[in-house]
Amino acid sequence: MIRYLLLLYEKYEPFTKYETTIEELANIWNCSTRYAKTIVKKCYESEWVDWKTYQGRGKKPELKIKLPKLQAIFIEFDKQWQGAHYDKAYKLLHEYQLLGNPEVNTWLTDRYGFNKSEDELDIFRYPYPKVELNIDPIKGLSRHDGHIARQIFETLFEFCPETQRARPNLVFAYHTVDHRVWRFTLRKDVTFHNGEKLTSRDVVASLERAMSIVFDLFTIVKIIALNSYSIEITLKKPNALFPRLLCSIKMAIVSYEWIKGGETGIPVGCGPFQLTTFKEEYMRLTVFPNYFKERPWIDVIEIIHTPEIVKFGLSAIPFDDKIPHIKKTFREEGGDFILFNATSNSVLQDELLRKTIYSLINPHEFCLKEYGETVAYSFFLDAKEVVVPITDLVLGSHFPKLKIGVQQIRANVNHLREANILSERLTAYGIEHEIELAPYRAPSDQIVSDYDIYIGGIALGQDRIISLLHIFQSVQFPITPFLNGKVKEQVEELLEQILNYSDDQKVVKLFIEVEKVMQQAVTIKFLSHRIHNLYIRDNSPFAGIKMETNGKIDYRKIYRT
């Protein structure tokens, strides 16, 4: 009924008596006079209005609204919020242009952060932009996909940032002599969210599924279940990094029954939280009481798709200087880059053409300085610049028309800004070209076939070594496929050496050598490292949260003080 009351404010001021008729109100509400009488009665009983009728011909009833308009809006807002209709609640605030109103901000702030449910559960609720989300760990692409997947699923090993090593997780113990044949003994105390016990068949089915869809970093020749809690895996060739590769969320273990049942619905995991609600406007993660490791303190996480997050206590955009807040900066390894197609499929197989374009690119122009981005010389932070000597240049008029592909990360998230900066330089030099958004998740062979230049970017995960192995050897990324014969052989030989080492210092040196070979062959130009800034208001509901190294909230560690 409050919606009908809100329509009255368009004609009547609150706390003022007005003569009116049921017919006039029915017209405002676009309903019958009979239903208008029902609305008036309900509003009167709710003490939202005074309604007086008089005896005698010509004497009209009197109406007085008893609530300030903002209070009436709050009643409707609270109703929608309590019903978890968050999209409708925000739509109401947009309709009345109230986002930014100090009192309304208080309503919202009170509803985020730590809350108690009616059954005394501790809930942590926070706003997040609406993004496309892939719950299946194999299909996830974005940092947000991986972050959510890690709350729901578990892997055989987990990566330890402090030691830069893999440590057993679902595995209780493991053994290998030659890094080719690996034997794993599983923990016995692991339960899936559907109540099933984790056994060898879940692991075998999960690894076979992952290998058939995404993995090309190693080849499993044979995987067998020795018994309910032991498996043996034979690789095609030795791989010292195998446990670290198994830390990847794409290698998460899901229920055999879910795979056998046709992989319909949300995959069944055994992580600390289970996904209990997944809607357009929000998702709800509930703590899994039978989790095999330390139980998180928080009971429920609610992630609400929220417009204009800057209005709340947690923001990626700076607050006004007058608002007390702290700034947390997360420097991201990886970065944006430009790839040059040196294969026989492209006119840029001519090194002089590549060098000419290379010389036109100034990485400083690609950095978003207002966000603190810095020039990149490598996928690693603080690496040194590789100087590429360039003497002879080809005139722009001697270039054939080039086709530039732009990476799409998800809907409306791409590298078109960087492509337009490059386009300005090419146009000024007289090089004819066209720009196209590359098809979403296009395989690398299609990228190689379609484009002379490809502009993209990557973010390295906690285990930067494994992230780079994925990028360099993935069928979905064209870095290695863009190389010509001799350079490609050099890079593949170096990548092969990397698999023989588990020592990070040696591996990083080899990767830097890979990058050096590519830069000297003028097949890649690094642009910028991304910076993620997070602003947290003092005394906000988010002041006590714990963060992961990538800037995401660590649900396992947050608690109400």
Side-chain angles (χ1 to χ4, degrees):
M1 286 295 164
I2 198 71
R3 275 289 187 177
Y4 291 106
L5 175 65
L6 289 173
L7 291 173
L8 296 181
Y9 290 94
E10 297 176 10
K11 186 172 182 179
Y12 307 114
E13 291 290 330
F15 309 111
T16 303
K17 292 181 180 180
Y18 292 91
E19 287 189 344
T20 185
T21 64
I22 286 295
E23 289 76 13
E24 289 175 2
L25 296 180
N27 187 52
I28 292 172
W29 292 328
N30 193 27
C31 66
S32 66
T33 55
R34 182 177 180 180
Y35 191 60
K37 291 178 181 178
T38 301
I39 296 171
V40 169
K41 182 180 179 182
K42 293 287 187 182
C43 289
Y44 177 78
E45 290 174 348
S46 299
E47 298 185 354
W48 297 340
V49 302
D50 276 338
W51 175 257
K52 289 185 179 180
T53 58
Y54 297 93
Q55 298 294 326
R57 179 177 291 185
K59 187 65 174 175
K60 292 183 177 181
E62 284 184 350
L63 172 73
K64 182 174 74 173
I65 302 174
K66 299 172 64 177
L67 295 180
K69 184 177 180 180
L70 194 59
Q71 186 178 346
I73 292 171
F74 173 79
I75 292 171
E76 177 65 12
F77 166 84
D78 193 54
K79 173 188 171 185
Q80 298 299 342
W81 191 277
Q82 296 302 330
H85 302 301
Y86 304 114
D87 55 339
K88 293 181 180 178
Y90 276 105
K91 185 177 180 181
L92 177 73
L93 299 183
H94 269 292
E95 180 183 340
Y96 289 97
Q97 299 180 349
L98 287 172
L99 283 171
N101 178 289
E103 189 171 341
V104 172
N105 281 351
T106 300
W107 303 349
L108 294 168
T109 301
D110 289 345
R111 283 160 176 74
Y112 285 115
F114 292 101
N115 289 265
K116 280 278 190 186
S117 67
E118 291 182 1
D119 49 358
E120 290 300 302
L121 293 177
D122 284 290
I123 299 174
F124 184 78
R125 185 180 291 127
Y126 73 99
Y128 200 86
K130 186 175 182 179
V131 296
E132 181 181 345
L133 184 68
N134 285 306
I135 298 296
D136 190 335
I138 282 180
K139 298 176 182 177
L141 291 176
S142 70
R143 292 190 312 148
H144 190 51
D145 290 343
H147 171 66
I148 296 299
R150 287 201 174 276
Q151 316 309 315
I152 303 170
F153 307 99
E154 294 287 337
T155 50
L156 292 174
F157 290 82
E158 62 181 1
F159 182 70
C160 177
E162 291 77 21
T163 63
Q164 293 290 300
R165 293 286 185 273
R167 60 191 177 197
N169 188 38
L170 293 176
V171 164
F172 181 81
Y174 66 102
H175 177 73
T176 184
V177 174
D178 57 1
H179 293 149
R180 181 170 176 265
V181 179
W182 296 78
R183 182 168 291 189
F184 301 127
T185 301
L186 304 177
R187 298 178 65 136
K188 286 188 174 183
D189 57 344
V190 181
T191 305
F192 284 106
H193 297 157
N194 62 2
E196 301 170 16
K197 288 287 185 182
L198 180 141
T199 64
S200 298
R201 70 172 187 169
D202 301 295
V203 175
V204 172
S206 297
L207 296 186
E208 287 178 344
R209 175 176 182 261
M211 290 295 297
S212 68
I213 296 177
V214 297
F215 254 67
D216 46 11
L217 294 181
F218 56 85
T219 300
I220 292 178
V221 176
K222 182 172 61 175
I223 176 170
I224 57 174
L226 302 174
N227 54 52
S228 295
Y229 293 99
S230 296
I231 62 172
E232 185 176 271
I233 298 176
T234 303
L235 304 179
K236 185 176 181 180
K237 51 189 175 183
N239 191 325
L241 295 174
F242 189 47
R244 285 174 70 165
L245 289 164
L246 293 177
C247 294
S248 167
I249 192 61
K250 292 185 182 296
M251 301 298 286
I253 306 304
V254 298
S255 164
Y256 167 83
E257 292 297 336
W258 177 78
I259 297 174
K260 182 182 176 183
E263 303 180 11
T264 57
I266 296 170
V268 179
C270 56
F273 294 92
Q274 47 192 329
L275 186 62
T276 51
T277 305
F278 186 37
K279 294 185 176 182
E280 279 286 312
E281 62 267 29
Y282 79 107
M283 72 177 71
R284 182 182 176 99
L285 298 168
T286 305
V287 73
F288 181 44
N290 296 323
Y291 185 48
F292 66 97
K293 292 195 293 187
E294 183 181 3
R295 181 199 190 278
W297 185 88
I298 201 73
D299 298 308
V300 178
I301 302 289
E302 286 191 352
I303 305 167
I304 301 171
H305 299 145
T306 306
E308 300 190 41
I309 291 179
V310 70
K311 305 296 182 183
F312 307 107
L314 188 71
S315 173
I317 304 171
F319 294 105
D320 187 278
D321 290 340
K322 297 178 182 178
I323 299 175
H325 65 275
I326 60 172
K327 174 183 175 182
K328 291 190 176 183
T329 297
F330 302 90
R331 298 185 69 198
E332 182 176 272
E333 289 202 294
D336 296 336
F337 52 82
I338 298 175
L339 294 174
F340 303 91
N341 190 341
T343 70
S344 58
N345 289 326
S346 170
V347 295
L348 292 185
Q349 62 182 291
D350 185 333
E351 186 173 304
L352 281 179
L353 296 182
R354 300 201 304 275
K355 283 188 172 182
T356 300
I357 300 173
Y358 198 93
S359 71
L360 300 176
I361 300 169
N362 180 1
H364 289 276
E365 297 179 343
F366 293 81
C367 294
L368 290 169
K369 295 180 177 60
E370 63 271 28
Y371 289 101
E373 290 187 353
T374 56
V375 169
Y377 302 117
S378 160
F379 287 121
F380 298 106
L381 293 169
D382 304 322
K384 295 180 180 179
E385 182 178 7
V386 174
V387 178
V388 180
I390 298 175
T391 52
D392 299 328
L393 300 179
V394 178
L395 294 175
S397 57
H398 292 179
F399 271 77
K401 185 176 181 179
L402 302 178
K403 192 169 182 181
I404 301 172
V406 179
Q407 181 191 16
Q408 291 194 81
I409 300 169
R410 55 180 181 270
N412 301 317
V413 179
N414 52 56
H415 289 274
L416 197 55
R417 182 189 72 88
E418 291 79 6
N420 288 332
I421 295 173
L422 175 62
S423 177
E424 290 177 6
R425 296 291 158 264
L426 296 179
T427 300
Y429 195 74
I431 299 176
E432 190 178 358
H433 61 280
E434 62 177 302
I435 295 174
E436 177 181 285
L437 285 174
Y440 181 59
R441 300 189 76 177
S444 58
D445 56 353
Q446 182 180 343
I447 301 294
V448 172
S449 174
D450 291 352
Y451 305 114
D452 303 299
I453 293 175
Y454 185 74
I455 302 178
I458 61 169
L460 303 188
Q462 275 193 328
D463 189 341
R464 56 188 183 167
I465 302 305
I466 300 306
S467 293
L468 282 174
L469 280 172
H470 276 296
I471 295 303
F472 276 98
Q473 297 191 358
S474 170
V475 295
Q476 294 181 338
F477 223 88
I479 291 183
T480 307
F482 260 36
L483 304 177
N484 56 27
K486 184 179 179 181
V487 175
K488 189 172 185 178
E489 288 177 11
Q490 285 181 271
V491 167
E492 289 179 342
E493 183 180 334
L494 288 166
L495 293 173
E496 192 73 23
Q497 291 181 41
I498 286 171
L499 297 178
N500 295 321
Y501 298 103
S502 57
D503 178 82
D504 261 39
Q505 289 185 338
K506 291 181 180 179
V507 172
V508 169
K509 285 181 180 179
L510 286 169
F511 264 123
I512 288 177
E513 184 63 27
V514 167
E515 295 174 342
K516 183 178 179 181
V517 168
M518 293 178 61
Q519 290 178 83
Q520 290 177 335
V522 199
T523 56
I524 190 169
K525 179 73 173 181
F526 292 102
L527 301 176
S528 60
H529 289 300
R530 300 171 192 165
I531 300 289
H532 295 285
N533 292 321
L534 197 65
Y535 302 88
I536 304 174
R537 291 183 62 163
D538 288 350
N539 302 316
S540 77
F542 306 100
I545 59 175
K546 306 295 181 182
M547 309 297 292
E548 296 176 346
T549 55
N550 59 8
K552 298 289 186 181
I553 298 174
D554 190 341
Y555 305 153
R556 304 186 194 210
K557 293 183 179 178
I558 60 174
Y559 63 95
R560 185 199 301 269
T561 56

